[in-house]
Amino acid sequence: EIVLTQSPGTLSLSPGDRATLSCRASQHFSSSFLAWYQHKPDQAPRLLIYGTSTRPTGIPDRFSGSGSGTDFTLTISRLEPEDFAMYYCQQYADSPRTFGQGTKVEIK
Amino acid sequence: QVRLQESGPGLVKPSETLSLICTVSGASIKSSSHYWGWIRQSPGKGLEWIGTVYTDGRNHYNPSLTSRVTISGDMSKNHFSLNLTSATAADTGVYFCARHSPDFWTGTPGYMDVWGKGTTVIVSS
């Protein structure tokens, strides 16, 4: 199975800062098959990015994704107060689908 | 707007079957060209994909759970269910249901574009 390792585990930043979240895979796969989610307590997780860099309708353009091979990145250009949450990457290139362990973006 | 809502017992005894239902509103599981599935989150293992059921009844399961899991759809009630047999403490966690978009290239379950809020299940005597 493809293991996804996210770093850092926690990111302490201030509103307006730039956040860079990393997701590294244990084996190479096509960038067509990588998604990012945001999760806040007591809420449904929200899809932010699919296909490494495509934003669904309604996702603000401050969220962007990039990467290829085994290294993928989620960037939040300027943090808004509502962006402080957990973020997970997920691959759908292989079975079973797997998730990273998450990065917590917290207010500094 | 598509919404998913999980329901089921919050407490399950060891060795019994863990059963949950996901009720879908704003979309039909019969006619929608999507996969419908389950993911769980436990302190020890993070997010774990359990599996999916497609509109035509086809399933994809996590190989680590395939001997114990069944996911099926009830078109008349517009809901789908999860049954996990022989439950143990390791099955304790928050269970989410989610709609999966079919991957454009492979047609298999892709990213999850709509999620429920999750329901907590504790396996304990």
Side-chain angles (χ1 to χ4, degrees):
Chain A
E1 97 179 25
I2 297 176
V3 177
L4 299 178
T5 302
Q6 292 186 240
S7 61
T10 303
L11 208 46
S12 298
L13 296 168
S14 301
D17 286 348
R18 181 184 186 90
T20 303
L21 287 67
S22 173
C23 176
R24 176 162 290 179
S26 60
Q27 60 191 80
H28 177 284
F29 61 88
S30 167
S31 61
S32 300
F33 304 120
L34 193 284
W36 289 93
Y37 304 90
Q38 178 192 68
H39 190 205
K40 300 178 184 178
D42 299 320
Q43 294 189 19
R46 179 169 74 145
L47 174 69
L48 294 177
I49 298 284
Y50 65 92
T52 291
S53 60
T54 302
R55 282 188 310 275
T57 303
I59 300 301
D61 61 7
R62 64 180 181 272
F63 293 95
S64 63
S66 62
S68 65
T70 59
D71 291 302
F72 301 89
T73 301
L74 174 71
T75 302
I76 310 172
S77 59
R78 286 180 57 85
L79 283 164
E80 297 288 340
E82 62 267 27
D83 298 337
F84 292 92
M86 285 293 295
Y87 292 84
Y88 297 94
C89 57
Q90 179 241 334
Q91 64 79 22
Y92 44 102
D94 195 16
S95 187
R97 303 330 189 206
T98 52
F99 294 84
Q101 82 280 17
T103 291
K104 182 179 182 180
V105 178
E106 65 176 23
I107 299 177
K108 187 175 182 178
Chain B
Q1 187 177 5
V2 180
R3 293 188 186 276
L4 281 64
Q5 176 70 56
E6 305 88 350
S7 61
L11 181 64
V12 176
K13 288 183 167 55
S15 80
E16 295 189 346
T17 297
L18 185 158
S19 296
L20 297 173
I21 286 174
C22 180
T23 301
V24 179
S25 58
S28 168
I29 66 170
K30 179 179 181 180
S31 57
S32 175
S33 297
H34 289 86
Y35 290 89
W36 305 90
W38 294 90
I39 301 97
R40 67 182 182 181
Q41 183 172 34
S42 56
K45 296 194 72 174
L47 285 166
E48 182 180 27
W49 178 78
I50 298 171
T52 61
V53 61
Y54 192 56
T55 303
D56 63 3
R58 278 181 290 153
N59 292 112
H60 289 78
Y61 293 140
N62 189 321
S64 69
L65 296 169
T66 192
S67 63
R68 298 194 293 132
V69 69
T70 303
I71 298 174
S72 58
D74 186 329
M75 308 302 177
S76 65
K77 296 180 180 177
N78 209 40
H79 72 213
F80 60 100
S81 62
L82 167 70
N83 284 294
L84 188 64
T85 61
S86 305
T88 71
D91 296 314
T92 292
V94 179
Y95 285 73
F96 299 93
C97 57
R99 187 178 77 171
H100 296 52
S101 281
D103 175 69
F104 176 82
W105 302 107
T106 65
T108 58
Y111 54 86
M112 298 131 206
D113 61 352
V114 184
W115 294 64
K117 291 185 178 181
T119 188
T120 299
V121 179
I122 297 172
V123 180
S124 175
S125 55

